[in-house]
Amino acid sequence: MVIPESQLQIWANPGSQAKFKDAHESIRKVLEIYNWPNGKPNYEIYLQGSYKNSTTVRSNSDVDIVVQLNSFYSQDLDNLSYNDKQLLLKFLSKSSYQWEQFRYDVIKALRNMSSFTVSEGNKCINVETPYLDADVVVCMQHRLYVNRSEARDHYHYRMRYYKKGPYNYYYIEGIKFRSTDGRWIINYPKYHDKNGTSKSQQTNGMFNSTIRIFKNIRSHLVDKNIIKIDEAPSYFIECLLYNVPNSEFESSHQKTVHNILSYLSSKDIKVFKCQNCQINLFGNSPDQWSVTNAKNFINKAINLWNNW
């Protein structure tokens, strides 16, 4: 017996969205009133993750928040010619207020709030607010430049994704920060969100509801000790499903789950990209998924589907 539509509908429903906006706003206000030592820097604060993407499930708790420094940024010029690189190197961010000092000030500002409990994790700052716990990523803007011919040939992509830099060079905006174990990490959360929103619209909302179903399948498998929770992180599951063609998402949850499991079991998933379309989903980096773990999750999900 396969998983009934009624159970899938329960799993498809979003978890509580209450209080995540309050948590976000409380952190924003703390940074707004902080006495910045050299004047308030140019930064922005925004949501990422399941609350931002409306893919929360009942087991979700922490809200993911990005605090991004824009007055200092890093550049990736590897896609450009030598002459183009030399031209853009003149525009390297020269601000004396850099990411390390910004991170120090953000932590200090958060610790000034008596109602917050603040601790440092490997990648983010863990903040217990009166509303929800928050994982705060403190980062600087990162610019991935593309060559002019690519930007010119991909007009619609340019309009949606590329930003115009000096001398009409185009770049994709990401974030960059260093973990406490010393690794520099680059990601593209704004494009993860844009691509997810677009795919949800193109599938009549079935993309987001299916993500919630698969996250709940993961939770069920973890609860039954069939897989370990760190074998199938929620972010990777979302990226995995993003690579499934829109045509596999149907109006019925049963048909959709069946289609997706059949598709994933028959494809070479090693070539899949993350939802931001910039980073490979699978690889040897600590920030990539193991093909072995992904296939194990898919196979266990198929067994659950066939033997409910």
Side-chain angles (χ1 to χ4, degrees), residues 53 55 192 207 211 234-242 275:
N53 301 325
T55 56
H192 179 101
F207 177 57
I211 290 172
S234 295
Y235 174 78
F236 291 152
I237 291 175
E238 189 164 337
C239 292
L240 182 72
L241 298 182
Y242 180 79
Q275 189 168 305

Side-chain angles (χ1 to χ4, degrees), residues 126-139:
N126 309 119
V127 184
E128 296 179 22
T129 80
Y131 312 101
L132 280 177
D133 292 350
D135 291 335
V136 180
V137 174
V138 184
C139 61

Side-chain angles (χ1 to χ4, degrees), residues 114-180:
S114 59
S115 61
F116 288 177
T117 300
V118 180
S119 60
E120 296 185 48
N122 184 39
K123 296 181 183 179
C124 58
I125 313 303
N126 309 119
V127 184
E128 296 179 22
T129 80
Y131 312 101
L132 280 177
D133 292 350
D135 291 335
V136 180
V137 174
V138 184
C139 61
M140 60 180 163
Q141 183 186 128
H142 178 70
R143 298 181 176 185
L144 173 63
Y145 278 90
V146 298
N147 63 58
R148 285 175 166 175
S149 61
E150 179 181 340
R152 184 173 58 250
D153 294 342
H154 296 83
Y155 174 80
H156 295 291
Y157 189 80
R158 184 184 72 202
M159 293 300 99
R160 282 189 61 201
Y161 293 99
Y162 296 165
K163 292 191 173 184
K164 187 179 291 187
Y167 293 115
N168 292 328
Y169 285 90
Y170 288 89
Y171 65 88
I172 296 172
E173 181 186 330
I175 64 172
K176 185 175 182 178
F177 62 96
R178 188 170 58 225
S179 60
T180 56

Side-chain angles (χ1 to χ4, degrees), residues 274-308:
C274 289
Q275 189 168 305
N276 56 48
C277 294
Q278 304 304 318
I279 300 172
N280 292 328
L281 176 55
F282 299 102
N284 297 321
S285 163
D287 305 308
Q288 293 175 299
W289 203 2
S290 157
V291 172
T292 300
N293 286 344
K295 288 185 175 180
N296 183 55
F297 170 69
I298 294 168
N299 290 334
K300 298 303 183 185
I302 291 173
N303 289 337
L304 180 68
W305 172 257
N306 290 326
N307 299 287
W308 181 255

Side-chain angles (χ1 to χ4, degrees), residues 32-227:
E32 185 71 27
I33 64 174
Y34 177 62
N35 184 24
W36 298 91
N38 298 304
K40 186 178 177 182
N42 178 8
Y43 73 90
E44 61 183 303
I45 175 172
Y46 55 91
L47 291 168
Q48 67 170 345
S50 57
Y51 284 98
K52 170 66 173 176
N53 301 325
S54 299
T55 56
T56 53
V57 295
R58 296 178 187 276
S59 58
N60 277 119
S61 56
D62 296 355
V63 56
D64 298 313
I65 295 174
V66 175
V67 182
Q68 176 179 316
L69 177 66
N70 290 323
S71 50
F72 182 84
Y73 55 85
S74 64
Q75 296 184 142
D76 184 341
L77 307 177
D78 288 349
N79 294 323
L80 304 182
S81 68
Y82 174 81
N83 289 337
D84 290 340
K85 289 179 184 179
Q86 296 307 305
L87 189 62
L88 281 171
L89 283 173
K90 299 176 183 179
F91 290 89
L92 283 175
S93 182
K94 296 178 175 64
S95 172
S96 60
Y97 186 78
Q98 300 184 13
W99 172 80
E100 290 82 359
Q101 182 63 43
F102 180 63
R103 183 179 186 276
Y104 171 84
D105 283 322
V106 169
I107 294 173
K108 185 177 179 181
L110 294 172
R111 284 180 170 158
N112 283 346
M113 188 67 177
S114 59
S115 61
F116 288 177
T117 300
V118 180
S119 60
E120 296 185 48
N122 184 39
K123 296 181 183 179
C124 58
I125 313 303
N126 309 119
V127 184
E128 296 179 22
T129 80
Y131 312 101
L132 280 177
D133 292 350
D135 291 335
V136 180
V137 174
V138 184
C139 61
M140 60 180 163
Q141 183 186 128
H142 178 70
R143 298 181 176 185
L144 173 63
Y145 278 90
V146 298
N147 63 58
R148 285 175 166 175
S149 61
E150 179 181 340
R152 184 173 58 250
D153 294 342
H154 296 83
Y155 174 80
H156 295 291
Y157 189 80
R158 184 184 72 202
M159 293 300 99
R160 282 189 61 201
Y161 293 99
Y162 296 165
K163 292 191 173 184
K164 187 179 291 187
Y167 293 115
N168 292 328
Y169 285 90
Y170 288 89
Y171 65 88
I172 296 172
E173 181 186 330
I175 64 172
K176 185 175 182 178
F177 62 96
R178 188 170 58 225
S179 60
T180 56
D181 60 13
R183 293 182 298 109
W184 282 104
I185 297 170
I186 296 173
N187 212 325
Y188 300 87
K190 290 182 180 179
Y191 299 107
H192 179 101
D193 178 50
K194 281 187 178 182
N195 289 336
T197 299
S198 177
K199 193 172 184 74
S200 182
Q201 292 170 348
Q202 293 166 8
T203 59
N204 295 316
M206 287 299 289
F207 177 57
N208 284 353
S209 61
T210 304
I211 290 172
R212 293 191 287 266
I213 288 173
F214 274 81
K215 285 183 179 181
N216 277 299
I217 287 175
R218 188 277 302 265
S219 296
H220 182 88
L221 294 173
V222 170
D223 290 343
K224 298 296 184 181
N225 295 316
I226 298 172
I227 65 170

Side-chain angles (χ1 to χ4, degrees), residues 258-284:
H258 174 268
N259 291 349
I260 289 173
L261 291 175
S262 297
Y263 179 86
L264 293 175
S265 64
S266 64
K267 296 299 178 181
D268 180 13
I269 63 173
K270 294 193 297 293
V271 301
F272 285 4
K273 292 279 190 181
C274 289
Q275 189 168 305
N276 56 48
C277 294
Q278 304 304 318
I279 300 172
N280 292 328
L281 176 55
F282 299 102
N284 297 321

